[in-house]
Amino acid sequence: MKTIRQVSMLQFTLMVSAFQISVAFLSLPRELARQAGTDGWIAIFFGWGMATLASAALVKVMKNNPDGTILDLLQRYMGVWASKIAAFIFTAYYLLLAYDGFMIATLVIKLWLLPSTYIYVLVLLLLIPTFQIAQHGFQAIGRYSEIVTLLSIWIPFVYLSTLRHAHWLYLLPVIKEGWLPVLSTIKIMVYPMLGIGLVFFLYPYLVRKDKALRAMVISNTLTCLVYLGITLVCYVYFSPDEIAEYNEPVISIMKSIEFQFIERVEVLFIAFYLFVFSCIWIPSMHLVSMNSAWLLGKGPERGHLALWCFAVAVSFFIYRPSFIDAARVNNFLNLAGFVMEFALPACLLLYVAIIRKVRGEKRS
């Protein structure tokens, strides 16, 4: 395997968490409220448990081939063609995740900041720094995630300032309509927890592979704490009937915040949140180039990345998506993400265990 630049556990943790939070953060309170009312926040705990179990399966699978990615593991246990098919599927999957990130980010920018700017122009501007960072691999992406996290520390304090308008009685009574609405909401938590699948490709780059599961648990916990905090803030600020009417309640709540030195806080928030948005499409574009290079077996990943960036720009020039299209893509990713990041690890873990037993290999 080629020489790789290692990724620290802090970078790994923040990379996964930032990937998860990026685009789902804005609409999650609304989606949970539509399904389970103000009891929707309870589903976040189920989402954490589901993601943690999947993370354990992911790490356990990758321990069977610690010096390679999931493609190397599949080639070892299933053959070359299986790894080629997997590379094609992962290319399509992460390309769709990147496209979804670009789509949501540009639609939000166009709605709140630059209504007269074409979406393809915004995408083109975003692709330039994306290429510059993604071409240098996971170590550069990990450092970028660290910087974004440090720059984002002020956001929770801004939301805490809205609690002076809170109506805590909106949360009562708990489980007002029984457990069925809450349990039916668990499926919504699949999309916000997408990102744990990065382990498939990040594992061989980790400095301390023995701490991978611990890092994943911390990452999932950090993500769910962020989701829980912003969901509760929205629930006690908006009335139970009102919150479902806002497409981005996380942004709308900013209108109640006033500072002497700035009039519209939501404008500053959206402009800054672009850094958080990028934490989904930058690693996704890198993974797209990595998998396509494996699939074709020729050319450097940097060249593949340039071609895919060009393809994304052209796609937005040809077709200009709407919020309805974004909702459709999110619904599809909710299903595809469950298969790729929750069901696949469990199936692979079972398959590899059977093959190792048949071959008489020792446990790793």
Side-chain angles (χ1 to χ4, degrees):
M1 187 176 179
K2 64 180 182 181
T3 303
I4 58 178
R5 298 178 180 179
Q6 291 187 313
V7 176
S8 69
M9 299 315 296
L10 177 61
Q11 292 172 346
F12 172 58
T13 301
L14 296 180
M15 198 186 309
V16 174
S17 185
F19 191 102
Q20 293 171 324
I21 292 171
S22 56
V23 296
F25 180 79
L26 297 182
S27 61
L28 181 63
R30 179 201 65 199
E31 296 298 329
L32 294 176
R34 285 182 174 178
Q35 191 75 22
T38 53
D39 291 329
W41 60 272
I42 301 175
I44 296 175
F45 294 101
F46 289 98
W48 176 86
M50 185 171 57
T52 302
L53 290 175
S55 299
L58 280 162
V59 174
K60 185 66 176 177
V61 167
M62 295 310 298
K63 283 183 178 179
N64 292 283
N65 194 41
D67 296 323
T69 67
I70 183 64
L71 302 179
D72 297 296
L73 184 143
L74 290 174
Q75 181 172 318
R76 174 182 174 184
Y77 286 100
M78 296 185 182
V80 176
W81 281 106
S83 66
K84 294 289 186 180
I85 294 173
F88 175 79
I89 295 174
F90 277 114
T91 299
Y93 175 65
Y94 283 106
L95 184 62
L96 186 60
L97 278 172
Y99 183 85
D100 181 59
F102 281 119
M103 181 168 48
I104 294 176
T106 52
L107 287 171
V108 170
I109 294 171
K110 187 173 177 62
L111 177 65
W112 291 87
L113 298 182
L114 302 171
S116 300
T117 306
Y118 291 113
I119 287 181
Y120 68 85
V121 174
L122 296 174
V123 171
L124 183 61
L125 293 174
L126 294 174
L127 281 170
I128 296 173
T130 297
F131 177 79
Q132 292 298 324
I133 298 172
Q135 67 174 324
H136 296 294
F138 285 123
Q139 189 180 57
I141 298 172
R143 291 174 177 174
Y144 178 76
S145 299
E146 287 181 310
I147 295 173
V148 172
T149 302
L150 289 174
L151 294 176
S152 305
I153 293 178
W154 62 274
I155 295 180
F157 297 100
V158 173
Y159 280 107
L160 288 176
S161 68
T162 65
L163 293 180
R164 65 180 183 273
H165 304 293
H167 297 81
W168 295 97
L169 292 177
Y170 288 160
L171 297 177
L172 299 177
V174 180
I175 316 295
K176 57 181 69 63
E177 297 181 7
W179 281 101
L180 184 59
V182 175
L183 296 176
S184 65
T185 310
I186 297 176
K187 62 180 182 294
I188 297 177
M189 287 303 302
V190 172
Y191 178 75
M193 299 307 295
L194 296 183
I196 57 176
L198 292 176
V199 179
F200 277 144
F201 300 94
L202 269 170
Y203 193 81
Y205 295 81
L206 299 181
V207 175
R208 294 291 303 274
K209 295 181 176 62
D210 58 313
K211 294 185 177 181
L213 180 56
R214 182 187 305 177
M216 287 297 296
V217 173
I218 294 174
S219 177
N220 291 330
T221 303
L222 178 62
T223 298
C224 288
L225 286 176
V226 172
Y227 287 153
L228 183 63
I230 191 59
T231 300
L232 290 176
V233 167
C234 289
Y235 283 4
V236 299
Y237 179 83
F238 298 105
S239 69
D241 297 327
E242 184 183 15
I243 187 172
E245 298 177 1
Y246 292 92
N247 287 327
E248 293 90 20
V250 175
I251 299 177
S252 299
I253 200 174
M254 287 278 184
K255 292 182 178 181
S256 66
I257 304 173
E258 295 181 358
F259 295 113
Q260 294 181 351
F261 54 89
I262 185 170
E263 183 177 356
R264 296 185 61 191
V265 180
E266 70 271 16
V267 173
L268 175 64
F269 171 79
I270 296 170
F272 173 82
Y273 202 76
L274 280 175
F275 292 105
V276 183
F277 272 136
S278 65
C279 288
I280 187 172
W281 65 65
I282 291 178
S284 292
M285 292 301 293
H286 174 65
L287 288 172
V288 168
S289 63
M290 177 189 294
N291 281 279
S292 64
W294 176 284
L295 178 63
L296 299 178
K298 58 182 179 181
E301 293 179 5
R302 187 172 184 269
H304 286 262
L305 177 62
L307 290 175
W308 283 116
C309 287
F310 177 76
V312 169
V314 171
S315 68
F316 277 95
F317 178 79
I318 296 174
Y319 181 76
R320 299 167 192 179
S322 64
F323 280 102
I324 296 177
D325 297 318
R328 291 171 180 168
V329 173
N330 288 353
N331 291 334
F332 178 78
L333 280 173
N334 203 64
L335 176 59
F338 178 79
V339 174
M340 297 294 292
E341 302 191 24
F342 291 86
L344 179 61
C347 294
L348 282 177
L349 183 60
L350 178 61
Y351 176 82
V352 172
I354 295 174
I355 294 299
R356 290 177 68 89
K357 187 173 182 178
V358 171
R359 294 179 180 178
E361 297 181 10
K362 295 182 180 180
R363 294 184 179 180
S364 54

